Amino acid sequence: MPNSEHIVSGFDRDLEGIQAQIMRMGGLVEEAIARATEALETRDGEQARAVRDADRAIDALEEQVNDEAARIIAQRQPIAGDLRTVLTVFRVSTNLERIGDYAKNIAKRTETIIESPPVNGSAASLRRMARQVELMLKDVLDAYIQRDVALAADVRARDRDVDQMYSAIFREYLTFMMEDPRNITTCMHLHFMAKNIERMGDHVTSIAEQVIYLVTGDMPDDDRPKQDATALSVGPRT
Amino acid sequence: MDDQLMTERRVDAHEIKITARGVQVYYGEKHALKDVDVDILANTVTAFIGPSGCGKSTFLRCLNRMNDTVAIARVEGDIRIDGEDIYDSRVDPVQLRAKVGMVFQKPNPFPKSIYDNVAYGPKIHGLARTKADLDRIVEESLRKAALWNEVKDRLKESGTGLSGGQQQRLCIARAVATGPEILLMDEPCSALDPIATAQVEELIDELREKFSVVIVTHSMQQAARVSQRTAFFHLGNLVEYGNTSKIFTNPDDPRTESYITGRIG
């Protein structure tokens, strides 16, 4: 980094302010993922409800962050690293808001499926996958605030594991549904949840790319190996 | 690498107009400019930025030998325009300055009529044979400076009676009247209001089609708006020189970033 402080100290406070809001958003989103998947595993409708309500705070923060970032552009005309800081805030806040929405959707589906009997073992693998995304999110927020490109690159690479877990879960749920058609409704919901978590991973990856752009000025352009093969899947061979 | 703004008119901008190598300037004991190497492109607006006293105006003034007029100034190194050494003893500085025009910070029209302000240069350089020739040069120059429509009915009025922005455009018309190839501008908008500034900036962009424009500015936003290439000077050194879009989004040198983002003066 060049000299860390601006001559106009209000500019520093502005930039620190929006980044602090991003970290707050990140904290809320982490919590939403953890609590939504916990509610699913423990079949706790009340907690699922609470996760849905908490999403409003995330949405409100996103709006605040974007308003503030727009004001900084208008007032301070940021350039170079400052410009990248502001642009990154816009994108990261959008990514975080989307992840929050996916957590909310998991909570909503949880409230529905706890009305039916559980499908054995189905929630545990979802929770493992969510745990993986949660850790990635925690690391990417650390990478963001510390400007740590290596950690961001590591997070980006780890999305592969999420994709693999998703492919495995996809096959697992197909098997449950074929074993007993009464599982279909629940498994369809569970599958959407798995897809939600997989999409969360993509958003975390996008944040990791933003961190790399923020620090280096370039987006990483090498293609990540995609491990989600479900688009090509036609179901278990019999 | 060519990552000019997409909205910019594309002009062939790859021919080198000015080559400077190992340029040193001393004002008495003070080493004002240290070993500057730079290639300035034809049909390109090049911005020189940097804090006060960094050497950017000093370097600008080397390009038309204005430093010759400063008794204690000593210029070393090699500066060539189209391959010709401008510090060669056979070069007449007056002729050089007809080829390398200059516009200053404060509009400084002569206390003469608008017409005479523009006609003065072509007259002393013998560029017009007849009155009709001179009329044509005056009109063309005023048109190039985007001032013709505003002053065509009052060419006999005094140049000092114009508004600040018009006066500055009159000075630009005066500078282009001698048919220069290079236009040097030393903070041409710092005494102008935002509207006049915008008019001069628009004009700079148009002038680029016919001239190489080198502009010294203290406004980062102006450098970013008008130039295709930017050079950052600091403490007499040329720190970084490259495409404007690169300098203002992702400069290579941390000193450049600190300066343009308002962290060092």
Side-chain angles (χ1 to χ4, degrees):
Chain A
M1 281 297 278
N3 280 39
S4 55
E5 286 177 13
H6 287 93
I7 296 164
V8 178
S9 58
F11 196 176
D12 286 327
R13 288 194 294 275
D14 281 350
L15 292 177
E16 281 159 20
I18 46 172
Q19 292 179 84
Q21 280 177 313
I22 288 288
M23 295 308 282
R24 263 185 68 202
M25 257 186 103
L28 291 180
V29 170
E30 265 180 65
E31 201 184 308
I33 303 174
R35 296 188 62 199
T37 46
E38 190 187 59
L40 169 69
E41 206 180 14
T42 59
R43 300 173 66 80
D44 184 343
E46 216 163 286
Q47 181 161 330
R49 175 93 219 158
V51 171
R52 282 173 62 186
D53 290 344
D55 188 55
R56 276 193 222 115
I58 298 171
D59 291 354
L61 260 177
E62 188 212 9
E63 208 181 309
Q64 259 182 41
V65 168
N66 287 354
D67 286 351
E68 188 63 8
R71 181 189 66 76
I72 292 172
I73 289 176
Q75 225 175 346
R76 312 268 186 207
Q77 290 113 44
I79 47 179
D82 297 337
L83 177 62
R84 295 202 300 277
T85 300
V86 177
L87 291 177
T88 304
V89 159
F90 270 117
R91 297 191 192 125
V92 171
S93 71
T94 305
N95 288 132
L96 289 174
E97 190 272 336
R98 294 300 300 158
I99 298 173
D101 280 353
Y102 288 128
K104 180 180 161 186
N105 188 262
I106 289 172
K108 201 167 143 190
R109 290 180 190 279
T110 296
E111 287 175 77
T112 309
I113 60 172
I114 56 179
E115 306 293 324
S116 328
V119 179
N120 271 341
S122 57
S125 42
L126 265 188
R127 187 140 187 229
R128 269 197 305 279
M129 186 177 168
R131 183 70 197 142
Q132 166 81 3
V133 170
E134 212 185 302
L135 286 174
M136 282 165 60
L137 177 59
K138 184 186 159 295
D139 283 348
V140 86
L141 290 169
D142 285 347
Y144 172 66
I145 214 67
Q146 286 157 17
R147 305 292 195 258
D148 186 339
V149 174
L151 184 55
D154 179 56
V155 169
R156 193 166 170 260
R158 272 149 61 194
D159 187 47
R160 205 180 166 168
D161 303 339
V162 177
D163 289 347
Q164 278 171 345
M165 286 168 143
Y166 172 66
S167 299
I169 286 177
F170 183 85
R171 286 191 297 273
E172 189 185 331
Y173 291 170
L174 271 182
T175 312
F176 288 149
M177 289 189 273
M178 293 172 93
E179 274 169 9
D180 186 349
R182 282 172 301 177
N183 288 336
I184 287 177
T185 308
T186 298
C187 281
M188 283 300 286
H189 279 297
L190 287 167
H191 169 252
F192 274 116
M193 293 184 191
K195 186 70 196 167
N196 285 344
I197 298 169
E198 189 270 329
R199 291 296 296 147
M200 286 178 182
D202 292 344
H203 283 284
V204 172
T205 305
S206 160
I207 297 174
E209 286 163 0
Q210 290 302 316
V211 172
I212 294 168
Y213 166 76
L214 172 62
V215 179
T216 65
D218 290 311
M219 286 291 270
D221 50 7
D222 55 309
D223 280 332
R224 285 179 307 126
K226 289 277 180 209
Q227 294 296 318
D228 169 11
T230 56
L232 308 170
S233 178
V234 288
R237 303 266 189 274
T238 46
Chain B
M1 188 171 105
D2 180 17
D3 58 352
Q4 290 183 342
L5 299 179
M6 276 182 287
T7 51
E8 278 177 358
R9 260 164 294 177
R10 294 222 164 244
V11 176
D12 181 22
H14 301 291
E15 190 186 314
I16 294 169
K17 190 73 186 168
I18 307 173
T19 312
R21 290 290 177 272
V23 176
Q24 318 270 353
V25 179
Y26 301 86
Y27 290 122
E29 289 298 297
K30 190 180 178 322
H31 196 175
L33 205 60
K34 298 162 190 166
D35 204 21
V36 170
D37 290 349
V38 75
D39 287 330
I40 289 170
L41 305 178
N43 302 108
T44 299
V45 179
T46 304
F48 290 174
I49 59 170
S52 295
C54 67
K56 58 190 188 301
S57 292
T58 295
F59 185 61
L60 188 78
R61 294 160 67 90
C62 290
L63 300 179
N64 68 347
R65 292 183 54 175
M66 288 286 283
N67 285 324
D68 290 14
T69 62
V70 180
I72 57 165
R74 187 156 52 85
V75 179
E76 292 173 8
D78 187 54
I79 301 177
R80 289 169 188 275
I81 293 178
D82 294 329
E84 273 181 59
D85 182 0
I86 63 169
Y87 281 86
D88 189 291
S89 56
R90 284 164 296 180
V91 170
D92 172 4
V94 176
Q95 289 302 326
L96 175 71
R97 287 171 206 146
K99 193 170 161 183
V100 186
M102 192 152 185
V103 176
F104 297 88
Q105 183 173 359
K106 255 185 93 186
N108 54 352
F110 303 134
K112 292 167 176 281
S113 73
I114 293 169
Y115 184 96
D116 287 339
N117 261 282
V118 183
Y120 182 78
K123 259 195 242 170
I124 62 162
H125 286 285
L127 299 177
R129 285 168 200 277
T130 62
K131 175 80 171 69
D133 265 359
L134 197 57
D135 286 350
R136 187 182 45 76
I137 291 173
V138 169
E139 179 175 340
E140 275 174 8
S141 303
L142 286 167
R143 281 190 192 281
K144 278 183 199 150
L147 191 60
W148 175 250
N149 287 331
E150 289 161 61
V151 300
K152 63 183 175 200
D153 300 322
R154 46 175 171 147
L155 293 173
K156 297 290 161 207
E157 288 174 29
S158 170
T160 54
L162 296 170
S163 74
Q166 288 171 326
Q167 285 188 21
Q168 193 63 306
R169 279 179 285 148
L170 179 61
C171 294
I172 293 170
R174 186 177 65 190
V176 302
T178 55
E181 293 163 26
I182 298 162
L183 211 52
L184 308 178
M185 300 179 135
D186 196 350
E187 294 184 55
C189 299
S190 59
L192 304 184
D193 70 27
I195 301 294
T197 298
Q199 285 166 334
V200 171
E201 285 180 4
E202 171 64 12
L203 179 58
I204 290 170
D205 195 48
E206 284 164 18
L207 293 174
R208 180 161 76 87
E209 288 181 10
K210 298 194 178 64
F211 311 97
S212 296
V213 180
V214 185
I215 176 170
V216 165
T217 176
H218 274 141
S219 160
M220 295 312 120
Q221 277 72 34
Q222 180 169 61
R225 284 192 301 263
V226 303
S227 72
Q228 290 78 52
R229 307 273 284 177
T230 297
F232 169 60
F233 290 82
H234 189 237
L235 302 174
N237 297 299
L238 176 63
V239 173
E240 188 166 350
Y241 174 54
N243 285 324
T244 298
S245 53
K246 167 91 167 87
I247 300 260
F248 283 94
T249 55
N250 194 15
D252 287 327
D253 195 293
R255 285 169 293 175
T256 313
E257 172 125 9
S258 290
Y259 178 68
I260 62 172
T261 57
R263 289 174 167 92
I264 53 167

